[in-house]
Amino acid sequence: MKAAVCYEFGKPLVIEEVNLEPPQKGEVKIRLAATAICHSDIHVIKGELGGALPIVPGHESSGYVDEVGENVTSVKPGDAVVASSLASCGRCYDCNSGRPHLCETWPMNFEGRLRNMRGQMLVQMSRVSGFAEYTVVHESQVVPIPPEMPLDRAALLSCGVITGFGAVVNRAQVRALSSVVVVGTGGIGLNAVQGAAFSGAYPVIAVDISDSKLEAAKLFGATHTVNSQQGDAIQAIKRLTSGRGAEYVFVTGGGVTAIEQGYAMSAKRGTVVLIALPPAKDSPFFPFLMEFIGAEKTIMGSFLGSTKLSVDIPRLVSLYQSGRLKLDELITGRYPLTRINEAIESVERGKALRNVIVFQGR
């Protein structure tokens, strides 16, 4: 089988033949149909999140069950599935407390079932390694979906959609008629926008430096847009919220500067939700500590939209099938694995919302 391997940070991925071990107890082998390119993949490839090499990136995936290991009962060979980086043991404190997305049983990247032709172990990014024709994951990472669900769109559900949409609906639990600002309107930001619109928020204000992405945000439910390079974005938000600032601000990119800007856009007792993974070298600091206390504001993190895979993925599929969730509009281009470096470059340059690697014969 072929896979795209990162041997050196900041260099193009190497497409080569690799070996995949069979699934062990509790594991599922998947014949991948599609894997979308997420900015987290780009951070890993550039070395901005640290970690070991060589690694096979990719984690926003879908495909068909090819083989199951011992004791696997939730899926069977031939099932169409979404494969996510969220693995849960079902036994730890967080799993038993209804927070399986916070399970810490397994590391996010680990030496899994992949080896190159020299016998060298390849790290599986996010426990998936979706830039490959096949992968082996834990049963808890796999959710069956209806066979009629298009798999290129289904792949988006495993990370970008649940991260943005879930941050609004699950983590922050935005109330109807609340004011919402989304800072950054890439793939995750657009899903935060449509999560806010789905929740009945008003106004829903999208903030970005790209006019084309702001136009896309309107399609996903933004009632207002602000280009932060064309004037004072903080004052623009204040004007759109009767001088108070927004009740909820979702920061989906931009690092420390965006976090500070998002905080300044929030109202008294407002909530700032941090979604995106900043580069490891960036360390936010809080020069606004006194205001943080005096205005009784809240800053919270949101990890993959506080998602319960077995519950949320079927719901999102139903919303898509009923026309209430936009997925088609997220995909800018579809590429074969042989053109993966071209697809990654397009995303990195801001030319695409989501590019999807589609495997031949899938």
Side-chain angles (χ1 to χ4, degrees), residues 32-359:
L32 291 171
T35 297
I37 296 170
C38 175
H39 275 282
S40 296
D41 300 314
I42 295 173
H43 289 320
V44 166
I45 293 166
K46 294 175 70 175
E48 294 174 339
L49 299 180
L53 294 175
I55 186 170
V56 178
H59 63 286
E60 198 169 293
S61 303
S62 65
Y64 299 96
V65 175
D66 187 73
E67 184 182 351
V68 298
E70 184 184 351
N71 291 348
V72 171
T73 59
S74 64
V75 293
K76 63 184 184 305
D79 284 349
V81 295
V82 165
S84 169
S85 60
L86 287 173
S88 56
C89 69
R91 300 182 301 275
C92 70
Y93 176 82
D94 284 309
C95 285
N96 286 326
S97 299
R99 300 188 297 264
H101 66 290
L102 296 179
C103 177
E104 297 180 356
T105 300
W106 294 286
M108 184 56 73
N109 300 327
F110 79 117
E111 294 184 353
R113 306 284 176 256
L114 289 165
R115 293 179 181 273
N116 62 22
M117 302 307 288
R118 300 182 297 279
Q120 184 179 18
M121 184 74 75
L122 304 175
V123 177
Q124 282 189 235
M125 177 190 165
S126 298
R127 299 182 288 254
V128 177
S129 284
F131 293 162
E133 293 178 319
Y134 290 83
T135 190
V136 170
V137 300
H138 188 263
E139 179 182 14
S140 64
Q141 296 174 246
V142 176
V143 182
I145 58 175
E148 66 272 16
M149 179 69 185
L151 289 179
D152 56 346
R153 276 137 285 185
L156 306 178
L157 298 175
S158 72
C159 179
V161 175
I162 61 174
T163 299
F165 193 92
V168 177
V169 176
N170 296 334
R171 182 67 175 109
Q173 298 181 5
V174 168
R175 301 180 305 275
L177 301 182
S178 300
S179 52
V180 168
V181 167
V182 177
V183 180
T185 54
I188 290 174
L190 291 179
N191 282 295
V193 168
Q194 71 170 328
F198 180 84
S199 298
Y202 186 88
V204 178
I205 308 167
V207 179
D208 206 293
I209 61 174
S210 167
D211 285 334
S212 63
K213 289 185 177 180
L214 290 173
E215 283 301 311
K218 294 178 183 178
L219 178 65
F220 282 79
T223 61
H224 302 77
T225 61
V226 173
N227 188 316
S228 57
Q229 285 190 333
Q230 298 176 5
D232 190 327
I234 296 170
Q235 290 304 312
I237 297 302
K238 293 290 179 72
R239 287 194 298 271
L240 292 170
T241 54
S242 303
R244 294 188 296 271
E247 293 166 274
Y248 296 91
V249 178
F250 296 87
V251 181
T252 73
V256 176
T257 300
I259 293 172
E260 294 176 342
Q261 187 179 57
Y263 182 86
M265 292 173 176
S266 62
K268 290 182 179 179
R269 289 205 168 184
T271 298
V272 180
V273 185
L274 308 183
I275 302 175
L277 292 173
K281 63 181 178 62
D282 288 345
S283 178
F285 62 98
F286 297 93
F288 39 74
L289 186 60
M290 289 305 296
E291 183 190 351
F292 175 73
I293 297 171
E296 295 188 345
K297 295 187 179 184
T298 298
I299 295 180
M300 66 168 62
S302 178
F303 178 63
L304 285 170
S306 301
T307 299
K308 297 179 182 177
L309 284 180
S310 61
V311 175
D312 290 332
I313 294 297
R315 286 177 175 172
L316 291 168
V317 169
S318 295
L319 287 175
Y320 171 75
Q321 292 178 325
S322 66
R324 300 187 66 193
L325 182 74
K326 295 184 183 299
L327 296 179
D328 304 60
E329 297 84 353
L330 288 167
I331 299 177
T332 302
R334 295 169 176 83
Y335 295 76
L337 185 63
T338 54
R339 294 175 59 198
I340 189 168
N341 289 307
E342 178 186 343
I344 289 170
E345 182 184 9
S346 172
V347 174
E348 187 176 7
R349 292 173 58 196
K351 302 297 184 181
L353 297 176
R354 272 293 194 271
N355 283 335
V356 180
I357 303 302
V358 179
F359 297 90

